[in-house]
Amino acid sequence: MRNQFSIIFSLLLITFAFSCKNQGEAEKETSESTVQMKEVVAVHDEMMPKMSTIGELTGKLEAEMKLAKKDSIYKDAIADLKEANVAMMDWMRNFGGDFTFEEINKGKALSEEKEQLLDGYEKSVNEMKEKMNSAIEKGRRVLNKNN
């Protein structure tokens, strides 16, 4: 009887050890995706205030274009600003559709499929950032050059 108890106890101990190891690995994966999620959201949060800059520049460029004889330089800058605006709006709509509030803000664990989606969103948020910054720079250059 004592021998059976030892065997059962040993098996329980081994099972417990493996479950703790697997849990630790899951927590590590969760924390990595949580960090990545925070980084993606941080880029979005950095760019969000620039949406008002895009709106202001677009308005100024449209007003200047009405007064100018050559409007192609204005049209190009305005088009870039509008594309950047659409890029941000599309990115937010898609991101919000693919992830839940808990996954974005509460660190809820992601499925493998969602981890792969997050990898794509990390790339696309940086592309959107570049598009917005580039459009803002171009819009400012056009305004400064023609004033």
Side-chain angles (χ1 to χ4, degrees), residues 117-130:
L117 277 174
L118 186 58
D119 290 340
Y121 277 106
E122 183 174 28
K123 181 181 178 189
S124 66
V125 77
N126 288 310
E127 290 170 353
M128 179 263 298
K129 175 183 177 177
E130 178 60 35

Side-chain angles (χ1 to χ4, degrees), residues 18 29 36 84 107 147:
F18 279 112
E29 288 175 16
Q36 185 180 18
N147 283 331

Side-chain angles (χ1 to χ4, degrees), residues 5 37-38 53 65 71 74 81 91 119 121 132 139 143 147:
F5 177 74
M37 179 67 78
K38 286 180 180 180
T53 303
M65 186 174 67
D71 62 0
Y74 292 102
L81 288 164
W91 187 91
D119 290 340
Y121 277 106
M132 287 179 69
L143 280 175
N147 283 331

